[in-house]
């Protein structure tokens, strides 16, 4: 029997097979979980439906996290189809592309609002709704990056959004603990996904990272998936409000 047999898990943030959320979904399925996938628009729906089919996932719902109505409808649908929920994987982030290459001091008000809305507020919006379906308690895991706590060149407003996300993890953990709902984040090392495409010098970043990281290699989506299953499942029962680094040790280094 798998570690997630009979567990109902909502996965937000699959765009394609390179997505971190896809590696997490594959691992959850292997451990017997029942899954729900979401997509933000028609273009992503075209990619996500075949992936859901491949894993035998029949619950695939629209959800642009900037839209309260879509969030309400998605959780309404989960309630009528499943009646309860055990876990959420939140693997969503977005900022204006220009804001990840311009000078940070040129970040616009609207660019700031977009990045924080999609990448940080969405966790609060999701947790607030998932809560009422987690009748036997539950767990929520989100994805963050070192740029939340260090000034990483070009990460800019996304770093500010991830700082807000990591802080929200602590406040949500503090608030939802009484309902036996745990909330944690994984801080992953850089991985070549859709969200990394078009980032200036991302290849160089990966090369330098593998040279310097204590484990001498880059982070793989499977590394992140394993730690997500730990935090989401019974092995993580005593862990909440944490940011767990899954980055081959990169974050521990000084110069
Ligand atoms: P990805 O592009 O595969 O996933 C990002 C997802 O966010 C996509 O599925 C996209 O559809 C979704 N999304 C964007 N705007 C949305 C909206 N308004 N509503 C709903 N969904 C929306 O890339 P990824 O690298 O797998 O990113 C997943 C998470 O991991 C992100 O939070 C990212 O910040 C984080 N992360 C990535 C890396 C990396 O190097 N790739 C490292 C650390 C953390
Ligand atoms: O969180 C991320 C990426 C988030 C992201 C990526 C994009 C690219 C396409 C958010 N919004 C957009 N908008 C787009 O239009 N990562 C952790 C990956 C990443 O992005 C970087 C990094 C790393 C690592 C940007 C600059 C420097 C390092």
């Amino acid at each position: 029997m798998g570690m997630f047999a009979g567990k109902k898990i909502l996965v937000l943030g699959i765009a394609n097979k390179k997505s971190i959320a896809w590696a997490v979904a594959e691992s959850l399925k292997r451990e017997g979980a029942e899954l729900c996938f979401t997509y933000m628009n028609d273009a992503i729906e075209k990619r996500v439906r075949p992936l859901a089919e491949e894993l035998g996932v029949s619950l695939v719902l629209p959800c642009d996290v900037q839209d309260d109505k879509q969030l309400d409808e998605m959780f309404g649908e989960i309630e009528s189809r499943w009646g309860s929920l055990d876990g959420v994987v939140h693997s969503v982030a977005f900022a204006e592309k220009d804001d990840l290459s311009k000078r940070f001091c040129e970040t616009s008000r609207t660019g700031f609002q977009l990045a924080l809305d999609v990448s940080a507020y969405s966790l609060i919006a999701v947790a607030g709704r998932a809560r009422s379906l987690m009748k036997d308690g539950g767990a929520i895991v989100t994805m963050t990056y070192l740029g939340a706590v260090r000034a990483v060149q070009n990460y800019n407003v996304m770093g500010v959004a991830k700082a807000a996300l990591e802080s929200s993890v602590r406040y949500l953990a503090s608030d939802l603990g009484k309902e036996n709902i745990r909330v944690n984040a994984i801080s992953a090392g850089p991985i070549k996904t859709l969200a990394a495409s078009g980032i200036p010098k991302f290849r160089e970043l990966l090369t330098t990272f593998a040279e310097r990281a204590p484990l001498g290699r880059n982070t793989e989506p499977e590394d992140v998936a394993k730690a997500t299953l730990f935090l989401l499942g019974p092995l993580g029962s005593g862990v909440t409000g944490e940011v767990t680094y899954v980055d081959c040790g990169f974050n521990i280094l000084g110069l």
Side-chain angles (χ1 to χ4, degrees), residues 79-97:
E79 170 146 49
S80 64
R81 291 278 292 265
W82 282 354
S84 68
L85 187 65
D86 300 293
V88 179
V89 178
H90 173 279
S91 186
V92 170
F94 191 77
E96 216 50 85
K97 194 170 189 160

Side-chain angles (χ1 to χ4, degrees), residues 12-16 18-22 38-41 44 48 63-67 90-94 114 118-119 122 142-146 155 158 162 165 186-196 202 205-206:
L12 297 100
I14 300 177
N16 57 38
K18 291 186 170 171
S19 296
I20 293 171
W22 171 250
T38 67
Y39 54 86
M40 70 169 288
N41 58 33
I44 304 285
V48 168
C63 182
D64 180 333
V65 296
Q66 289 195 276
D67 186 342
H90 173 279
S91 186
V92 170
F94 191 77
L114 174 67
V118 175
S119 315
S122 64
T142 187
M143 301 302 160
T144 185
Y145 176 61
L146 185 64
Y155 200 62
M158 270 308 304
K162 291 301 192 188
L165 179 73
I186 289 177
S187 187
I191 299 174
K192 185 110 193 70
T193 61
L194 188 63
F202 198 80
L205 184 98
L206 285 177

Side-chain angles (χ1 to χ4, degrees), residues 123 140-144 162 165-174 181-188 227-228 230-232 236-246:
L123 181 73
I140 301 172
V141 175
T142 187
M143 301 302 160
T144 185
K162 291 301 192 188
L165 179 73
E166 292 182 8
S167 182
S168 300
V169 163
R170 291 185 285 273
Y171 279 96
L172 286 168
S174 167
I181 298 169
R182 299 182 295 103
V183 186
N184 291 287
I186 289 177
S187 187
T228 303
F230 159 66
L231 291 172
L232 211 54
S237 55
V239 184
T240 195
E242 284 293 321
V243 178
T244 299
Y245 283 81
V246 179

Side-chain angles (χ1 to χ4, degrees), residues 24-209:
V24 175
E26 282 188 305
S27 298
L28 283 168
K29 194 73 201 181
R30 212 177 298 130
E31 291 295 331
E34 201 171 338
L35 303 177
C36 172
F37 291 174
T38 67
Y39 54 86
M40 70 169 288
N41 58 33
D42 297 351
I44 304 285
E45 179 182 12
K46 284 201 189 75
R47 292 174 172 274
V48 168
R49 288 222 176 260
L51 295 180
E53 182 121 3
E54 188 178 322
L55 278 194
V57 170
S58 57
L59 200 46
V60 183
L61 303 172
C63 182
D64 180 333
V65 296
Q66 289 195 276
D67 186 342
D68 284 328
K69 188 162 155 282
Q70 287 189 37
L71 282 160
D72 287 337
E73 284 172 4
M74 173 193 58
F75 279 101
E77 195 61 29
I78 290 174
E79 170 146 49
S80 64
R81 291 278 292 265
W82 282 354
S84 68
L85 187 65
D86 300 293
V88 179
V89 178
H90 173 279
S91 186
V92 170
F94 191 77
E96 216 50 85
K97 194 170 189 160
D98 269 5
D99 286 336
L100 304 177
S101 56
K102 283 190 315 203
R103 290 185 58 168
F104 178 63
C105 64
E106 286 164 4
T107 305
S108 67
R109 194 180 299 273
T110 55
F112 180 95
Q113 286 167 341
L114 174 67
L116 272 94
D117 188 31
V118 175
S119 315
Y121 178 73
S122 64
L123 181 73
I124 305 170
V126 165
R129 289 168 174 82
R131 206 200 108 242
S132 46
L133 290 175
M134 292 178 157
K135 291 157 189 162
D136 307 322
I140 301 172
V141 175
T142 187
M143 301 302 160
T144 185
Y145 176 61
L146 185 64
V149 294
R150 308 279 175 74
V152 173
Q153 200 174 60
N154 290 328
Y155 200 62
N156 296 359
V157 74
M158 270 308 304
V160 179
K162 291 301 192 188
L165 179 73
E166 292 182 8
S167 182
S168 300
V169 163
R170 291 185 285 273
Y171 279 96
L172 286 168
S174 167
D175 187 15
L176 302 182
K178 52 182 158 309
E179 291 157 58
N180 196 28
I181 298 169
R182 299 182 295 103
V183 186
N184 291 287
I186 289 177
S187 187
I191 299 174
K192 185 110 193 70
T193 61
L194 188 63
S197 68
I199 302 292
K201 297 196 216 153
F202 198 80
R203 287 172 80 97
E204 288 92 322
L205 184 98
L206 285 177
T207 309
T208 308
F209 187 96

